[in-house]
């Protein structure tokens, strides 16, 4: 069965059991401080499990893009080395939100695997949670009993908390689980060792394929467990592993999910997969990583120097490095795999197909720059090795290796490989300790401790009313304390709130919570999943009171101007530059708007001006806002609404329109009632942020006015300086011309002076022992003329030996020049001489044996220079 068919069969099976199919959520997580990337199918349902949100369907099935390269679930080091852990993989899941529980989950899993996919029953093992004393949990008898009905007891295994209690992170929803493992070894091997003994033992042919999690608890920050309001089923099956089992392969990479990529690399490198362990790892690393990189870029995360962007950068570098070392790819190659990604995954994940060209560009640029770094690092290593050899040392220190790693992105295994090639060893312990030190530094810098929520009022869902109101009477549902180095901070959730939480690039609202006795500042508002969290300066003395929640209206209104202007800007850019323009990021606050978009060339002055003109004309048209809430997503798409890649949209969306023929966008932000409120739009800058991504910074309304005023003032000041000429431009032009004329006159004067000095000097040469010596103190207009004069004297007088002590713009300088033949015949060296003489002017200098100069601080020393020279040479 082909991979595609295996995926669709899974979905159809659960649809036949009344499950609703939902698309994968983006791989890059927004609005969750505890998670950078989606690491399991359950992430997008976290709020439903916690009871923060009413699930839309009681039963759901999906295939989720997951990435396990950071945090609690990090498989990066395994990937490529083994054959069944990937960085990015698809997790197939079926879900029950307070609906069915263990019985159905177990029975259906068995039915699908053994009857639909026809996997051999006698190769399957299942595990059950054995209980845990620390958590005060009993064994999962219920699950055991259901399994017993369909699986012989000798293939049911009891598992510890490590394997059979699933947790998303340090806190959050969790519960006991039952895993399904498959033994894919040959018949002979199976006869020798029982599969049961190999389950959960890192055997590459006896692997876990499916995990059925029975979500029952919430892990609190103090480590204790709290029962969830309802019981749920969360299952996750590794799609790549399933495909491998069904296709009877001994490695995930031998399936039709990866083979096209491996074949391509074989063709390109001229090497064969399956012949050498080290090259095989390289093949696997590359074909695995290209998926992770492409999918994350498609979801809007560009490689960068921090956080999620840095994780992607490191994955990409790992792939490049393996290609470089083991497949001899010295030039960018990863990006050439982009068309294969699009062809193989574009159907189920259209985002990689639609952005294929963009993804390839970004990858190629990263590769190019990393290969350059790699080159630099290699040269440095050569130098390091040479230095060590000179000192008869054979160990590259951990510190050096860490420096290479930290500043040049040089992986330890590469440094160690190169070290070995040169007969050196590497202090790996030292490296590890440097690494630890750095981790501790960054941990200390970012350490914060988030307390559990404390309930105040019953939680009946949170209402955001900020589209219609900027004030409301509200109650606090819950609050918590976040401790970090800067002191305690407080967060709270309101039952209804006019405060807009930062999202879609728009900053969070600020304002006040006011009771009869208190006024508390709200310094920011952010989302945590779907919760609206208010950051406040202090907790109210009595949190149970009713508060008047008031948004800072001025700030909100200026922010709205910028947000609407951003929509107008996006449409104008499409008109001027073309339909390839897509939003890549945006920031909207009360001061500026920043808009990143895909476009491959610098915008011309004319394009920028056209864009400005279009936006300003739309502002003057005073187009009213057309806001539609709860539009079914399909309908919104038909309206031609612009959606963002990597954004998680629900089934119902909000559509913001300013003229149906001009700007229609899916957007949760706040907007002006009609465009004239924006007043004025002005672009301040246009530049590049990454390969194929441009950034515009612009201002509107008050800021734009301020800007124009400042420009006008500047002009006025210039006018004043120039005594109010009729035509300012002409006045500046003639000023510049006058300046040029004066300069050329001055140059002429300098010349005349210098040649006068020269004529004088030519008369002062004294002959001694076959050399013509000149020692003179002079004054010259600039340093250039000193050098020029010295050279001319040398060229015009045979066997010249000249020492000039000059005052130049009030400072002492010495020049020594001598005929080349005197260097050897008289053993003279201009550099040495100048250094000796420079002592008299408290200075220093140097140069070549035939010409050297020095500058100094002591102008009065010039005569001493000459008298010292006389002593030395005459
Ligand atoms: P393992 O012990 O093999 O690392 P796990 O216990 O971490 O697996 P779960 O967190 O239960 O796995 O995830 C559910 C399923 O997702 C697993 O049964 C497996 O099939 C698949 N899976 C987990 N991690 C990976 C990975 N890195 N690459 C591919 N598939 C994976
Ligand atoms: Mg794992």
């Amino acid at each position: 069965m082909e991979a595609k068919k295996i995926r669709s069969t899974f979905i159809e099976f659960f649809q036949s059991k009344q499950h609703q199919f939902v698309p994968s959520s983006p791989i890059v997580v927004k609005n969750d401080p505890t998670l950078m990337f989606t690491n399991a199918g359950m992430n997008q349902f976290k709020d439903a499990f916690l009871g923060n949100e009413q699930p839309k369907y009681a039963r759901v099935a999906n295939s989720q893009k997951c990435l396990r390269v950071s945090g609690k679930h990090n498989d990066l080091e395994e990937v490529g080395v083994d054959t069944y852990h990937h960085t990015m993989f698809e997790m197939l899941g079926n879900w029950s939100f307070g609906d069915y529980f263990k019985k159905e989950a177990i029975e259906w899993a068995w039915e699908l695997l053994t009857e639909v996919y026809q996997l051999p029953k006698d190769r399957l093992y299942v595990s059950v949670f054995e209980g845990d004393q620390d958590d005060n949990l009993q064994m999962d008898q219920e699950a055991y009993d259901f399994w017993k009905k369909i699986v012989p007891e000798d293939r049911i295994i009891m598992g510890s908390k490590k394997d059979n209690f699933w947790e998303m992170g340090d806190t959050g929803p969790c519960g006991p689980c039952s895993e399904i493992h498959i033994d894919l070894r040959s018949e002979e091997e199976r006869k020798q060792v029982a599969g049961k003994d190999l389950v959960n033992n890192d055997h590459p042919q006896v692997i876990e394929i499916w995990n059925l999690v029975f979500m029952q608890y919430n892990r609190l920050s103090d480590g204790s467990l709290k029962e969830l309001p309802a019981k749920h089923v969360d299952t996750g099956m590794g799609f790549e592993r399933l495909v491998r089992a069904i296709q009877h392969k001994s490695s995930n990479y031998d399936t039709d999910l990866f083979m096209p990529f491996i074949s391509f690399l074989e063709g390109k490198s001229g090497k064969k997969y399956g012949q050498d362990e080290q090259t095989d790892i390289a093949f696997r690393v590359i074909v695995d990583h290209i998926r992770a990189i492409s999918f994350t870029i498609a979801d809007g995360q560009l490689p960068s120097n921090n956080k999620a962007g840095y994780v992607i950068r490191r994955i990409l570098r790992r792939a490049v490095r393996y290609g470089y070392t083991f497949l001899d790819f010295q030039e960018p190659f990863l990006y050439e795999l982009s068309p294969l990604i699009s062809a193989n995954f574009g159907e189920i994940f259209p985002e990689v197909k639609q952005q294929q060209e963009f993804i390839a560009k970004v990858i190629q640029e990263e590769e190019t720059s990393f290969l350059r770094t790699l080159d630099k690092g290699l040269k440095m290593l050569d130098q390091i090795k040479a230095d060590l050899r000179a000192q008869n040392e054979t160990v590259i220190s951990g510190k050096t290796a860490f420096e290479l790693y930290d500043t040049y992105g040089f992986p330890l295994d590469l440094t160690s490989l190169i070290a070995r090639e040169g007969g050196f060893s590497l202090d790996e312990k030292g490296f590890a300790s440097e690494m630890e030190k750095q981790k501790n530094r960054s941990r200390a810098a970012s350490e914060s401790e988030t307390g559990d929520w404390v309930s105040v009022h019953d939680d009946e869902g949170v209402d955001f009313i900020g589209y219609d109101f900027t004030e409301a009477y509200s109650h606090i549902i819950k609050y918590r304390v976040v401790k970090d180095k800067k002191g305690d901070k407080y967060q709270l959730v309101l039952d209804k709130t006019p405060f807009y939480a930062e999202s879609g690039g728009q900053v969070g609202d600020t304002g006040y919570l006011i009771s009869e006795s208190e006024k508390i500042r709200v310094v920011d508002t952010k989302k945590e999943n779907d919760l609206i969290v208010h950051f406040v300066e202090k907790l109210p003395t009595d949190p149970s009171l009713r508060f008047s929640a008031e948004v800072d209206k001025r700030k909100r209104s200026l922010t709205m101007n910028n947000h609407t202007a951003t929509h107008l800007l996006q449409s104008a850019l499409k008109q001027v530059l073309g339909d390839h323009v897509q939003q890549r990021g945006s920031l909207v606050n009360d001061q500026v708007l920043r808009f990143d978009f895909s476009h491959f060339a610098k915008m011309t002055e004319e394009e920028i001006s056209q864009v400005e003109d279009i936006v300003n004309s739309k502002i003057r048209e005073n187009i009213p806002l057309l806001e539609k809430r709860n539009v079914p997503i399909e309908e919104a798409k038909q309206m031609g609404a612009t959606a963002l890649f990597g954004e998680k949209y629900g089934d119902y969306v909000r559509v913001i329109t300013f003229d149906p023929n001009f700007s229609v966008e899916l957007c949760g932000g706040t907007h002006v009632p009609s465009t004239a409120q924006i007043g004025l739009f002005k672009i301040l800058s246009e530049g590049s942020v990454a390969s194929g991504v441009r950034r515009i910074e612009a201002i509107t309304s008050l800021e734009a006015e301020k800007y124009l005023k400042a420009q006008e003032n500047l002009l006025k000041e210039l006018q004043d300086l120039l005594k109010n000429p009729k035509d300012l431009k002409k006045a500046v032009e003639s000023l510049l011309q006058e300046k040029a004329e004066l300069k050329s006159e001055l140059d002429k004067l300098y010349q005349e002076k210098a040649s006068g000095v020269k004529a004088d000097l030519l008369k002062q040469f004294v002959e001694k022992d076959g050399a013509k010596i000149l020692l003179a103190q002079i004054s010259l207009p600039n340093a250039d003329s000193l050098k020029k004069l010295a050279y001319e004297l040398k060229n015009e007088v045979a066997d010249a030996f000249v020492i000039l002590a000059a005052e130049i713009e009030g400072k002492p300088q010495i020049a020594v020049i001598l005929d080349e033949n005197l260097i050897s015949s008289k053993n003279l060296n201009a550099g040495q001489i100048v250094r000796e003489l420079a002592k008299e002017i408290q200075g220093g200098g140097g140069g070549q044996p035939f010409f050297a100069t020095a500058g100094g601080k002591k102008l009065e020393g010039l005569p001493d220079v000459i008298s010292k020279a006389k002593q030395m040479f005459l």
Side-chain angles (χ1 to χ4, degrees):
M1 207 189 285
E2 272 187 14
K4 280 181 189 158
K5 179 81 182 143
I6 295 173
R7 190 193 286 114
S8 59
T9 301
F10 179 91
I11 303 295
E12 282 154 19
F13 175 81
F14 282 103
Q15 278 173 335
S16 79
K17 314 260 186 228
Q18 289 76 52
H19 287 63
Q20 169 71 34
F21 171 75
V22 305
S24 173
S25 69
I27 209 163
V28 185
V29 175
K30 291 181 185 152
N31 302 330
D32 188 341
T34 64
L35 213 57
M36 212 144 42
F37 300 105
T38 301
N39 65 10
M42 60 82 60
N43 298 159
Q44 70 163 316
F45 304 115
K46 190 173 153 188
D47 272 343
F49 289 133
L50 288 172
N52 290 337
E53 184 191 275
Q54 199 53 36
K56 282 190 215 85
Y57 312 98
R59 298 178 183 189
V60 161
N62 69 344
S63 172
Q64 173 66 46
K65 304 176 271 188
C66 296
L67 191 63
R68 292 197 169 178
V69 290
S70 58
K72 188 175 172 75
H73 294 276
N74 186 346
D75 294 335
L76 186 59
E77 293 310 317
E78 264 74 57
V79 174
V81 180
D82 78 16
T83 54
Y84 58 105
H85 279 97
H86 301 293
T87 51
M88 182 252 160
F89 64 99
E90 281 180 66
M91 197 185 280
L92 302 171
N94 58 294
W95 309 82
S96 151
F97 300 107
D99 188 8
Y100 63 83
F101 204 42
K102 295 180 188 174
K103 177 173 187 291
E104 291 84 347
I106 287 172
E107 284 173 1
W108 289 339
W110 194 253
E111 181 188 340
L112 176 65
L113 291 181
T114 60
E115 281 165 40
V116 181
Y117 290 134
Q118 305 251 320
L119 290 174
K121 288 184 185 162
D122 67 334
R123 285 176 177 263
L124 294 174
Y125 295 85
V126 302
S127 65
V128 170
F129 179 52
E130 66 185 8
D132 184 80
Q133 267 189 343
D134 291 348
D135 277 334
N136 203 9
L137 293 172
Q138 303 287 317
M139 87 163 258
D140 192 351
Q141 187 67 46
E142 217 185 337
Y144 191 89
D145 291 341
F146 289 125
W147 279 121
K148 208 169 64 180
K149 289 193 188 138
I150 41 181
V151 182
E153 272 183 273
D154 65 342
R155 277 193 281 116
I156 306 177
I157 295 161
M158 301 311 291
S160 68
K161 178 167 151 189
K162 176 178 149 284
D163 290 315
N164 283 75
F165 195 85
W166 200 89
E167 311 205 34
M168 176 194 75
D170 292 336
T171 59
C174 55
C177 61
S178 264
E179 296 172 339
I180 304 176
H181 295 256
I182 189 159
D183 182 354
L184 293 165
R185 292 173 304 153
S186 68
E187 289 299 339
E188 284 130 58
E189 282 174 291
R190 289 179 68 209
K191 274 181 209 140
Q192 281 157 18
V193 183
K196 189 173 178 180
D197 298 334
L198 298 174
V199 166
N200 273 331
N201 263 325
D202 294 332
H203 190 289
Q205 302 299 331
V206 184
I207 54 171
E208 173 190 332
I209 51 172
W210 203 348
N211 194 355
L212 317 179
V213 182
F214 310 117
M215 216 58 103
Q216 278 173 264
Y217 306 103
N218 184 16
R219 173 83 66 190
L220 301 182
S221 61
D222 65 2
S224 65
L225 294 172
K226 196 176 143 201
E227 288 268 345
L228 286 176
K231 296 192 177 17
H232 317 279
V233 172
D234 150 10
T235 84
M237 173 147 64
F239 175 55
E240 296 76 10
R241 294 187 190 178
L242 174 68
V243 171
R244 159 185 172 183
I246 296 175
Q247 295 183 352
H248 304 295
K249 303 290 185 193
S250 57
S251 147
N252 287 12
Y253 295 91
D254 294 342
T255 64
D256 61 343
L257 287 169
F258 293 97
M259 267 336 272
F261 294 84
I262 291 188
S263 303
F264 178 88
L265 289 181
E266 284 183 330
K268 196 171 164 60
S269 67
K271 300 195 185 217
K272 280 262 159 262
Y273 180 64
Q275 297 194 331
D276 170 81
E277 184 51 20
Q278 208 40 266
T279 21
D280 284 358
I281 293 178
F283 273 109
R284 292 196 289 261
V285 162
I286 296 167
V287 303
D288 172 275
H289 289 11
I290 185 64
R291 302 192 336 153
I293 301 159
S294 307
F295 277 86
T296 350
I297 296 175
D299 275 351
Q301 181 60 61
L302 294 176
S304 74
N305 251 344
N306 51 47
K307 298 191 184 152
Y310 190 53
V311 176
I312 296 316
R313 175 164 281 172
R314 273 181 29 226
I315 296 178
L316 186 142
R317 289 179 168 187
R318 191 167 185 258
V320 172
R321 213 278 297 170
Y322 270 94
Y324 182 91
T325 314
F326 299 106
L327 301 180
D328 300 334
F329 293 146
Q330 317 281 322
E331 299 291 323
F333 63 95
L334 273 179
Y335 76 99
E336 292 180 34
L337 292 164
S338 286
L340 283 175
I341 290 281
S342 162
N344 284 279
F345 301 103
E347 211 172 295
I348 164 105
F349 302 111
E351 62 274 21
V352 289
K353 186 167 187 171
Q354 286 156 1
Q355 301 176 86
Q356 183 196 321
E357 193 194 352
F358 174 74
I359 295 169
K361 284 239 182 204
V362 172
I363 295 178
Q364 187 184 6
E365 167 117 332
E366 273 291 306
E367 284 190 90
T368 310
S369 92
F370 179 55
L371 283 167
R372 240 181 277 138
T373 315
L374 210 56
D375 210 52
K376 250 196 250 161
L378 287 174
K379 291 211 177 94
M380 260 189 64
L381 251 177
D382 282 343
Q383 185 60 45
I384 291 166
K385 285 194 290 189
D387 290 350
L388 288 177
R389 257 187 224 111
Q391 297 160 27
N392 264 329
E393 291 272 357
T394 57
V395 186
I396 296 182
S397 76
K399 209 165 171 191
T400 305
F402 185 76
E403 245 170 62
L404 280 165
Y405 164 83
D406 203 33
T407 39
Y408 291 90
F410 236 62
L412 178 70
D413 48 354
L414 178 64
T415 311
S416 141
L417 188 87
I418 298 169
R420 258 179 282 131
E421 281 167 6
F424 290 89
S425 64
L426 192 125
D427 174 13
E428 299 204 6
K429 269 208 192 112
F431 177 87
S433 104
E434 291 293 324
M435 186 76 136
E436 195 55 39
K437 272 190 225 159
Q438 195 203 39
K439 274 196 191 141
N440 287 340
R441 278 194 298 270
S442 58
R443 208 175 294 140
S446 69
E447 209 151 79
S448 72
E449 204 179 290
T450 307
D452 293 321
W453 289 110
V454 180
S455 288
V456 182
H457 281 107
D458 265 354
D459 174 359
E460 286 169 0
V462 179
D463 256 348
F464 173 64
I465 55 166
Y467 294 139
D468 307 304
F469 304 96
T470 48
E471 284 178 20
Y473 283 113
S474 312
H475 282 102
I476 295 171
I477 293 181
K478 53 186 177 183
Y479 66 83
R480 71 180 173 195
V481 184
V482 180
K483 293 181 194 302
D484 71 15
K485 286 215 306 220
K486 289 186 211 122
D488 288 0
K489 296 198 178 84
Y490 309 94
Q491 303 179 348
L492 46 87
V493 177
L494 301 175
D495 59 348
K496 61 178 185 297
T497 179
F499 284 83
Y500 180 81
E502 175 183 325
S503 64
Q506 181 177 333
V507 293
D509 277 333
T510 56
Y512 290 97
L513 294 182
I514 302 167
S515 70
E516 268 167 27
S517 55
E518 267 179 313
K519 186 169 176 181
I520 295 173
R521 232 178 93 72
V522 177
V523 292
D524 202 355
T525 313
K526 287 186 194 225
K527 271 193 186 176
E528 192 171 312
N529 303 301
D530 288 320
L531 218 54
I532 297 172
V533 182
H534 304 77
F535 292 61
V536 288
E537 272 182 345
K538 59 173 186 170
L539 286 178
T541 337
D542 181 357
S544 68
L545 292 181
R546 192 177 75 161
F547 290 85
S548 166
E550 299 178 9
V551 170
D552 178 337
K553 292 183 199 64
R554 183 187 137 89
K555 185 179 159 202
R556 161 78 85 83
S557 154
L558 291 172
T559 307
M560 286 182 351
N561 291 343
N562 282 338
H563 202 152
T564 303
T566 305
H567 284 209
L568 302 180
L569 170 63
Q570 161 145 254
S571 297
L573 283 168
K574 285 201 168 128
Q575 267 189 16
V576 173
L577 302 177
D579 263 343
H580 62 278
V581 167
Q582 268 163 4
Q583 177 168 342
R584 288 287 161 198
S586 104
L587 169 78
V588 175
N589 60 31
D590 55 336
Q591 306 283 322
V592 290
L593 66 95
R594 202 172 74 195
F595 186 69
D596 297 347
F597 58 101
S598 47
H599 181 56
F600 294 115
K602 179 161 182 54
M603 284 177 74
T604 62
E605 292 284 334
E606 199 186 321
E607 286 166 341
I608 293 177
S609 152
Q610 271 177 7
V611 167
E612 267 178 356
D613 290 350
I614 294 174
V615 174
N616 279 317
S617 78
K618 292 292 167 187
I619 291 173
R620 284 192 303 274
E621 271 178 46
N622 198 16
I623 308 166
L625 161 70
L626 201 73
E627 180 209 18
K628 284 197 176 157
R629 297 177 203 169
N630 298 316
V631 183
I633 179 105
E634 282 313 315
E635 193 181 318
K637 283 188 187 151
Q638 270 159 26
M639 290 164 74
T642 312
L644 276 185
F645 290 113
E647 203 61 52
K648 182 173 140 194
Y649 293 109
D651 299 337
Y652 293 91
V653 292
R654 181 162 173 267
V655 182
I656 295 296
T657 305
F658 287 96
D659 178 352
N661 296 316
F662 186 66
S663 164
V664 187
E665 289 194 36
L666 300 186
C667 179
T670 59
H671 288 274
V672 298
S674 63
T675 58
Q677 182 188 315
I678 302 168
L680 182 65
F681 170 83
K682 179 84 196 113
I683 291 178
L684 291 183
S685 68
E686 189 273 348
S688 154
V689 267
S691 165
V693 183
R694 313 289 307 172
R695 167 172 294 175
I696 281 183
E697 277 184 324
I699 45 181
T700 66
S701 54
L702 271 189
E703 289 299 319
E705 263 173 44
K706 267 198 237 160
Y707 174 82
L708 289 190
K709 280 234 174 72
Q711 296 291 315
E712 201 184 5
N713 277 336
L714 185 66
L715 272 182
K716 274 203 194 114
E717 282 167 25
L718 288 178
Q719 297 264 21
D720 280 354
L721 278 176
L722 296 173
K723 310 265 178 305
N724 294 310
K726 262 201 208 108
D727 184 335
L728 182 62
K729 188 172 159 227
K730 255 204 192 129
V732 174
E733 273 166 3
S734 75
L735 208 61
L736 287 175
Q737 189 173 351
E738 225 172 90
K739 181 180 169 253
E741 283 167 11
L742 284 175
K743 179 164 189 305
S744 91
E745 262 172 53
L746 199 61
D747 283 349
K748 235 196 274 158
L749 281 176
Y750 283 167
Q751 277 290 309
E752 280 169 23
K753 174 148 195 234
S755 60
V757 171
K758 190 174 86 183
D760 245 15
L761 292 178
L762 281 171
K763 295 179 204 146
Q764 297 178 27
F765 276 90
V766 214
E767 188 151 356
K768 191 182 175 211
D769 300 338
K772 298 212 182 69
I773 302 180
L774 168 68
L775 310 176
Q777 188 182 343
I778 51 175
S779 148
L780 283 171
N782 57 28
D784 267 358
S785 52
L786 176 62
K787 182 174 177 185
K788 202 162 154 243
L789 177 62
Y791 269 79
E792 281 176 9
L793 289 170
K794 170 176 164 276
N795 289 341
E796 287 173 34
V797 178
D799 302 322
F801 173 25
V802 178
I803 296 176
L804 299 173
E807 174 180 346
I808 293 170
E809 291 176 325
K811 294 219 174 76
Q813 274 221 11
I814 308 171
V816 177
I817 198 160
L818 45 92
D819 201 294
E820 277 85 351
N821 71 48
L822 300 177
I823 300 175
S824 49
S825 67
K826 294 263 178 297
N827 200 16
L828 290 175
N829 182 314
Q832 275 167 13
I833 298 169
V834 97
R835 273 194 290 276
E836 186 52 39
L837 297 176
K839 290 177 186 160
E840 304 301 322
I841 54 169
Q842 286 179 6
Q848 292 145 282
F850 81 97
F851 176 65
T853 56
K857 287 191 281 247
K858 193 176 160 198
L859 186 61
E860 320 86 80
L862 284 178
D864 303 332
V865 171
I866 298 302
S867 44
K868 188 170 197 178
K870 271 191 186 144
Q871 276 174 22
M872 286 165 71
F873 302 110
L874 286 183

